[in-house]
């Protein structure tokens, strides 16, 4: 019976932790990933009785760095410094993946705009957010358009980019390559 009480406490603790983390996170792509990870954690906790019945290993191996209990300001500043370093590494990797995904989406979407050929897309990100988007395009089949037609296409391109990328219209640059 003690084991059952311990198991129920684990289930409740995992659910409380999941709810707490969900409330803390902003509404973005990270929230969905966190929900999935917390769901897997809850499933693992719920599956503990099955693991016990089938005599499967119940311990997870985690290669986490050993926690050192440094006291005082020097230890705290070292921990904060390492945390910020890990955060910056994560933001760099996460940002690069998102930047490439945005560039691919923009390229695919602009292929649907009639009469242009996309030469290059460039998304500039800082701190996990899109700062600016640059697109180099040219008329298909060597067509030469007047200013009015180019202005209309530039507007259509900017509107299309905003559909797939969270960026202000003023931060979208459309460059016409002759």
């Amino acid at each position: 019976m003690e084991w059952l009480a311990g198991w129920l406490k684990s289930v409740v603790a995992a659910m409380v932790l999941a709810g707490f983390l969900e409330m803390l996170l902003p509404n973005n792509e990270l929230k969905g990933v966190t929900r999935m990870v917390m769901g897997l954690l809850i499933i693992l906790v719920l599956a503990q009785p099955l693991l016990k019945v089938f005599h499967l290993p119940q311990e997870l191996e985690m290669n986490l760095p050993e926690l050192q209990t440094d006291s005082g300001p020097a230890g705290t500043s070292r921990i904060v410094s390492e945390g910020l370093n890990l955060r910056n590494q994560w933001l760099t990797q996460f940002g690069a993946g998102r930047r490439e995904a945005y560039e691919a989406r923009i390229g695919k979407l602009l292929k649907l705009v009639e009469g242009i050929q996309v030469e290059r897309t460039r998304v500039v990100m800082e701190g996990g957010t899109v700062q600016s988007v640059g697109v180099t395009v040219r008329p298909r089949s060597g067509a030469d358009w007047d200013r009015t037609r180019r202005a209309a296409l530039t507007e259509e391109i900017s509107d299309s980019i905003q559909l797939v990328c969270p960026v202000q219209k003023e931060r979208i640059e459309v460059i016409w390559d002759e």
Side-chain angles (χ1 to χ4, degrees):
M1 228 10 132
E2 288 178 34
W3 182 85
L4 181 62
W7 176 71
L8 286 173
K9 286 179 186 177
S10 297
V11 170
V12 170
M15 294 179 107
V16 167
L17 177 65
F20 181 71
L21 283 177
E22 186 174 342
M23 285 190 297
L24 283 179
L25 292 172
N27 286 331
N28 59 16
E29 292 90 16
L30 185 61
K31 193 166 193 165
V33 172
T34 305
R35 278 183 177 170
M36 181 188 70
V37 170
M38 292 309 297
L40 291 173
L41 178 69
I42 290 172
I43 290 171
L44 182 65
V45 171
L46 289 172
Q48 281 181 343
L50 293 174
L51 296 174
K52 192 166 186 100
V53 167
F54 295 111
H55 305 292
L56 297 173
Q58 296 181 14
E59 296 180 15
L60 292 175
E61 282 189 37
M62 293 186 158
N63 296 327
L64 297 175
E66 291 295 321
L67 296 176
Q68 298 176 357
T69 55
D70 292 340
S71 59
T76 304
S77 65
R78 184 186 60 76
I79 291 170
V80 169
S81 173
E82 288 179 13
L84 289 173
N85 188 20
L86 286 172
R87 178 183 174 269
N88 289 337
Q89 288 176 0
W90 181 83
L91 279 175
T92 301
Q93 292 172 351
F94 181 69
R98 285 185 64 199
R99 180 184 53 77
E100 291 169 2
Y102 282 136
E103 287 176 350
R105 285 184 204 156
I106 290 169
K108 287 178 183 176
L109 183 64
L110 292 183
K111 285 182 180 178
L112 300 175
V113 176
E114 190 175 327
I116 66 165
Q117 182 175 341
V118 179
E119 295 293 316
R120 181 172 174 247
T121 59
R122 178 183 44 86
V123 175
V124 177
M125 296 186 69
E126 188 175 302
T129 60
V130 178
Q131 296 298 313
S132 65
V133 175
V135 181
T136 304
V137 296
R138 67 181 163 116
R140 274 198 194 134
S141 304
D144 190 24
W145 293 321
D146 61 0
R147 286 186 172 187
T148 307
R149 178 69 176 141
R150 282 190 186 199
L153 280 171
T154 300
E155 187 71 23
E156 183 178 350
I157 291 168
S158 296
D159 291 342
S160 298
I161 290 172
Q162 283 189 299
L163 291 174
V164 295
C165 188
V167 65
Q168 297 173 350
K169 201 169 205 169
E170 300 82 39
R171 296 187 175 265
I172 299 173
E173 180 182 22
V174 179
I175 301 167
W176 287 89
D177 186 23
E178 294 299 327

